[in-house]
Amino acid sequence: MSFEIYKEDFSTRYEIRHAISVIMNIYYNDIGKLILVAPVSDYNINVLKVGNLLYDTSRNVTFVIENTKIDTTTNRITANGYTANWLLNKRIIASEYHMTTIETGVYKLIRDNLRGMTRIQVAQATGMTDKTDNVFMGGNLLDEIIPFLEEKGIGHTMDWNPDDMTHTFRLYKGRDLTAGIHAIVFSEEQGSAKDLVINDDDSTLCNVAYVQGSLSGTDNTFVEIVGDTTGDNRREVWFKTAVRQENDESAADCKARARAYGQMELGKRIRRKSFSVSIDPEDLGKYYALGDIVSCVSARFGVSFSARITGIKYTLDSNKARTEVILGDPILTALGAMKLNG
């Protein structure tokens, strides 16, 4: 284990080789979290300060320390932080932007709203053709982008360059490893799903959306219905949106935008099925990586589905080092459910 620590002003670089414990959660399309516990010492007090940047040299991931707690009773310092993509949430979307192509649009949206964040840049577009039709205005930059990336199965990361000490925000797509000679199957019966945890949750499921918008004129509201599930399996949700007919827009195009909004929101209200398994850390990056789509099978529990590797959890302490992967759509936390239904 080797972590480099940069002071908030990047004037000094430190190193931590030993810690009591470390837990790192990294996600394909979300903000990850760090919990690092170290003994109290003058060196660690100086290094583990709020605002400093932690760089894991072996996994090429960076975290911003946002909270520290010093406990003199247990003689421990606990540092909590977020993956460096969180830095984008220091900015809001300050002016209206109409996005049509996801990759080039997201990069432009970030460039236009950095406002003095000199150590962040965006990658060159690779030619992704995924489309959207949405107007962005207000809201934290990364929080507003994440749902549109999720809808298209696109991940994002912050690549750190220790030579010039800059971040590069990059979009990418995982590979489909569900078939062919390189297929990956996580299976309890085959022994490739150690420490298996299975989650199945439809508490937030909705499959029909009623989307309210407005056309030009007074009290000229409309409601578009998205989804065609009927009978007992139908689960409805209502969205009162800010979709309003623009000056040069036809009524049909305005209603199409409302339907697109409803489809995107329904994409978040899914039945969440996921595996969590322990893996050999040497396999990660060699046979599969964060964002790849793999097969999840358990004949004993009647589970079989294809899922994306959406999260990785690294745990290191005095006893062992452990790597776990999350496959599929993890169960929402209470906070996540509140955000979804708010």
Side-chain angles (χ1 to χ4, degrees), residues 67 80 112 145 221 286 296:
N67 170 272
N80 295 277
D112 289 350
I145 291 170
T221 60
K286 182 179 179 181
C296 309

Side-chain angles (χ1 to χ4, degrees), residues 175 177 182 184 282-289 292 294:
R175 301 164 296 171
L177 300 178
H182 300 296
I184 299 295
E282 293 184 358
D283 291 345
L284 187 67
K286 182 179 179 181
Y287 300 114
Y288 48 84
D292 290 344
V294 297

Side-chain angles (χ1 to χ4, degrees), residues 39-284:
V40 172
S41 67
D42 291 341
Y43 181 82
N44 287 340
I45 291 171
N46 185 50
V47 168
L48 297 174
K49 286 188 174 180
V50 170
N52 287 359
L53 186 80
L54 182 146
Y55 172 47
D56 183 339
T57 58
S58 61
R59 298 179 181 86
N60 193 28
V61 60
T62 50
F63 295 87
V64 182
I65 298 174
E66 282 301 302
N67 170 272
T68 59
K69 181 179 72 174
I70 300 175
D71 189 332
T72 58
T73 303
T74 59
N75 198 41
R76 293 183 175 186
I77 301 175
T78 302
N80 295 277
Y82 300 113
T83 42
N85 54 355
W86 170 85
L87 290 169
L88 293 180
N89 271 347
K90 287 188 171 184
R91 297 292 184 269
I92 63 164
I93 301 172
S95 57
E96 186 175 290
Y97 177 66
H98 184 193
M99 185 183 297
T100 55
T101 302
I102 295 280
E103 185 184 32
T104 55
V106 164
Y107 286 164
K108 177 172 172 51
L109 197 59
I110 292 173
R111 280 194 300 266
D112 289 350
N113 287 281
L114 288 177
R115 288 186 291 282
M117 300 184 76
T118 57
R119 295 189 182 274
I120 296 179
Q121 54 194 18
V122 299
Q124 294 294 319
T126 59
M128 294 183 189
T129 57
D130 304 88
K131 300 292 184 181
T132 188
D133 185 7
N134 193 72
V135 176
F136 291 84
M137 179 67 181
N140 296 104
L141 190 54
L142 188 62
D143 286 346
E144 294 298 310
I145 291 170
I146 282 177
F148 292 86
L149 300 181
E150 183 177 13
E151 181 192 9
K152 303 297 183 181
I154 301 173
H156 69 274
T157 184
M158 278 283 204
D159 296 329
W160 174 247
N161 185 335
D163 295 327
D164 62 9
M165 293 184 289
T166 59
H167 300 282
T168 300
F169 180 85
R170 177 172 59 87
L171 301 182
Y172 70 103
K173 283 190 175 183
R175 301 164 296 171
D176 188 340
L177 300 178
T178 57
I181 60 173
H182 300 296
I184 299 295
V185 179
F186 288 95
S187 168
E188 184 189 32
E189 289 77 16
Q190 294 180 16
S192 57
K194 186 173 62 173
D195 301 324
L196 172 66
V197 176
I198 302 172
N199 284 326
D200 190 356
D201 176 25
D202 73 351
S203 62
T204 60
L205 172 66
C206 292
N207 47 34
V208 174
Y210 288 72
V211 187
Q212 179 181 317
S214 58
L215 301 175
S216 300
T218 305
D219 297 327
N220 199 0
T221 60
F222 65 86
V223 175
E224 290 291 300
I225 300 175
V226 179
D228 55 8
T229 304
T230 60
D232 293 335
N233 292 325
R234 184 180 177 101
R235 296 195 184 188
E236 300 174 349
V237 61
W238 176 274
F239 297 118
K240 184 177 180 181
T241 74
V243 174
R244 179 179 293 273
Q245 185 178 9
E246 299 175 356
N247 292 335
D248 57 349
E249 184 179 37
S250 69
D253 287 344
C254 180
K255 291 180 179 180
R257 280 200 296 120
R259 288 194 299 273
Y261 176 90
Q263 288 166 352
M264 185 191 71
E265 288 297 322
L266 282 182
K268 304 175 190 176
R269 290 160 169 78
I270 59 175
R271 181 175 180 178
R272 294 177 176 270
K273 301 182 70 173
S274 69
F275 269 29
S276 175
V277 297
S278 297
I279 63 169
D280 185 338
E282 293 184 358
D283 291 345
L284 187 67

